[in-house]
C-alpha cells in the first residue's frame, strides 16, 4: 500500500505515475504465485520435502536481497526493475509456501484446508504487524532494508528444514 507514496516521495513521480508503477507488484500475482507453486511441486517430485523447503528458502533469500536492492536504488529505472523482481519473488514465495504445506509430516489430511488457512491468515497478520512496526521508523528506505535483512535471515529457517533426517513421502497426484 505504501509503494505509490514511496515512489512519489523518493523519486518525485506524480501520484498517477507512482500508482501505475506500484501496480506492478500486484500484477505479479496473476502468474507468479502459480509459478512458485509449480516450481515447488517440480522440486518436490525430484527431491521430496527437502527440495520443496530448499526452493522456498531460495525464493525467500533472493526476495530479501531484492528488497534491500529496491530500498537502496538511487535511480528510478533501477528502483522499478528491483520492485518488479521483488513483486515476482513475493508472489512466487506464496506459491512455494503452498507447495510445502500438503507435505508436512504429521499433517492430518483432513486438516490441510485449515492449516493452509492459518498460514494465509498468518501472512496477513504478519504483514500488518510489520507495517506498524516498520512504519514507526523515520526512513522508509531504512525500514525496507531492515525488512529485507529479516526476510533473508528467515530464509535460513528453510535451510534447516532441508536437512531433515527422514524425508516425507510425497502426496499422490490425482
Amino acid at each position: 500500500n505504501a509503494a505509490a507514496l514511496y515512489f512519489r516521495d523518493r523519486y518525485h513521480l506524480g501520484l498517477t505515475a507512482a500508482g501505475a508503477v506500484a501496480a506492478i507488484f500486484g500484477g505479479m500475482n496473476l502468474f507468479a504465485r502459480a509459478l512458485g507453486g509449480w516450481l515447488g511441486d517440480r522440486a518436490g517430485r525430484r527431491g521430496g520435502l527437502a527440495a520443496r523447503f530448499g526452493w522456498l528458502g531460495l525464493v525467500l533469500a533472493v526476495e530479501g536481497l531484492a528488497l534491500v536492492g529496491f530500498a537502496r536504488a538511487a535511480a528510478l529505472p533501477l528502483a522499478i526493475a528491483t520492485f518488479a523482481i521483488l513483486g515476482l519473488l513475493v508472489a512466487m514465495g506464496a506459491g512455494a509456501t503452498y507447495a510445502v504445506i500438503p507435505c508436512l509430516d504429521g499433517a492430518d489430511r483432513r486438516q490441510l484446508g485449515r492449516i493452509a488457512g492459518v498460514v494465509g491468515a498468518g501472512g496477513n497478520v504478519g504483514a500488518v504487524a510489520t507495517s506498524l512496526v516498520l512504519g514507526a521508523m523515520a526512513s522508509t528506505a531504512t525500514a525496507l532494508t531492515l525488512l529485507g535483512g529479516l526476510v533473508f535471515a528467515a530464509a535460513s529457517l528453510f535451510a534447516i528444514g532441508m536437512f531433515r533426517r527422514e524425508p516425507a513421502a510425497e502426496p499422490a497426484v490425482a
Side-chain angles (χ1 to χ4, degrees), residues 31-148:
F31 72 93
R33 190 173 290 218
L35 178 62
W38 180 73
L39 291 171
D41 288 341
R42 283 184 55 117
R45 280 194 293 277
R46 291 194 176 126
L49 184 60
R52 289 175 187 268
F53 271 113
W55 169 243
L56 179 56
L58 176 66
V59 170
L60 284 177
V62 178
E63 178 185 321
L65 295 174
L67 187 52
V68 171
F70 168 63
R72 297 296 172 202
L76 179 61
L78 180 60
I80 292 172
T82 55
F83 186 69
I85 291 167
L86 177 62
L88 177 75
L89 291 164
V90 167
M92 286 176 67
T97 299
Y98 286 102
V100 168
I101 291 171
C103 303
L104 295 176
D105 279 347
D108 182 347
R109 294 276 178 227
R110 295 171 297 175
Q111 304 297 326
L112 284 178
R114 290 180 185 164
I115 293 168
V118 169
V119 168
N124 292 333
V125 169
V128 170
T130 301
S131 69
L132 291 174
V133 170
L134 297 179
M137 298 183 81
S139 164
T140 303
T142 301
L144 292 173
T145 301
L146 175 63
L147 182 58

